[in-house]
Amino acid sequence: MPTTSLWRELFGFGLAISFSPLHIGLLLLILVGPKPLRRGSWFVLGWLLTSAAAMALLLSVGHGLLLTMEQGSDQRTGLDLLGAGGLLALGLNGLQGSRQGGGPPGWTRRLDGFCALPLPLLLGLSAAVQVSSPDDLFLYAKSAASLLQAGLSRPREVITTAVFSLCTGTLLLLPLGGLALVGQERLLPVLRAGKGWLFDNAELIVAVLCMGLAGYLGWQGIGGLRAR
């Protein structure tokens, strides 16, 4: 069975992936619009399926190339250090943007137009953005590396990947579940307030998250260098 440390790591990476201000903002706009439960459910399902497909592709490549992800291996150490550097750069850039102020990030002004797209086009755009985000790509790759290192049997690997994919949708499933439980009318003030808070603080939160993950991956990368 997967170890406690593996579950803890996968849950941490999945939760970090789930904090996508653009996708959360889109979902909140969907949930305050027409047919919120239907459109929101399809949106979240698209996110979960994209996560599962990304992990399946990375694991297939890892198995096919017989990559080793043991502590100190070239592949794992290189991935850790590359991920640390990339996330640190993203974190510093976000921190600089948050210090400059000037209101919500520019991308927030385009969300209304994205939300008005037909559902199939919106889902396709959502999936494209999800798999092209550099920080998410590093986290998917690191999660796949952790699974490869664990050496699980294929059935357990599939189950663990499915659970991880659910973890990546945690912050999307929460508002959708709240809507299903209490209804749009009662949840509307909370959704609008949450959207405003998210847009005002998105860059700072992403910066702190990226820098924290950069520190963790950097520590693992240095540990890999010492293990050689």
Side-chain angles (χ1 to χ4, degrees):
M1 290 294 290
T3 64
T4 302
S5 60
L6 174 62
W7 280 122
R8 185 167 57 244
E9 189 170 69
L10 290 178
F11 179 75
F13 291 149
L15 191 61
I17 291 172
S18 76
F19 186 77
S20 170
L22 187 148
H23 287 87
I24 296 173
L26 269 175
L27 177 62
L28 294 179
L29 285 173
I30 289 172
L31 296 184
V32 300
K35 302 178 181 177
L37 193 56
R38 174 179 171 272
R39 286 170 57 84
S41 296
W42 277 110
F43 185 81
V44 174
L45 180 60
W47 170 280
L48 297 176
L49 292 177
T50 301
S51 281
M55 285 294 291
L57 178 61
L58 289 168
L59 289 170
S60 297
V61 170
H63 286 301
L65 297 178
L66 300 178
L67 296 179
T68 174
M69 287 296 169
E70 299 299 324
Q71 183 77 3
S73 66
D74 290 340
Q75 295 93 335
R76 175 172 171 179
T77 301
L79 178 63
D80 287 341
L81 294 177
L82 181 64
L87 288 168
L88 180 61
L90 288 170
L92 291 174
N93 183 65
L95 190 61
Q96 182 181 9
S98 68
R99 285 179 174 177
Q100 290 175 351
W107 55 263
T108 62
R109 292 187 287 273
R110 297 192 288 270
L111 290 188
D112 286 325
F114 292 155
C115 191
L117 293 172
L119 187 58
L121 189 56
L122 177 61
L123 296 180
L125 177 64
S126 169
V129 172
Q130 183 179 349
V131 297
S132 64
S133 173
D135 50 338
D136 286 351
L137 282 177
F138 282 128
L139 292 172
Y140 280 122
K142 179 61 180 174
S143 301
S146 297
L147 279 173
L148 289 171
Q149 181 193 5
L152 304 176
S153 65
R154 285 304 173 89
R156 289 177 178 174
E157 185 176 86
V158 169
I159 293 172
T160 306
T161 300
V163 174
F164 170 76
S165 298
L166 283 173
C167 290
T168 68
T170 302
L171 296 182
L172 297 175
L173 288 166
L174 288 176
L176 182 64
L179 180 75
L181 289 173
V182 305
Q184 185 186 42
E185 185 175 345
R186 293 177 60 185
L187 201 62
L188 203 56
V190 178
L191 294 174
R192 287 175 174 165
K195 178 175 70 97
W197 180 87
L198 175 69
F199 289 175
D200 289 339
N201 297 280
E203 287 190 318
L204 178 60
I205 297 174
V206 169
V208 172
L209 182 64
C210 286
M211 294 179 74
L213 288 168
Y216 175 72
L217 293 179
W219 170 71
Q220 287 206 324
I222 293 171
L225 292 174
R226 291 176 175 174
R228 292 186 178 188

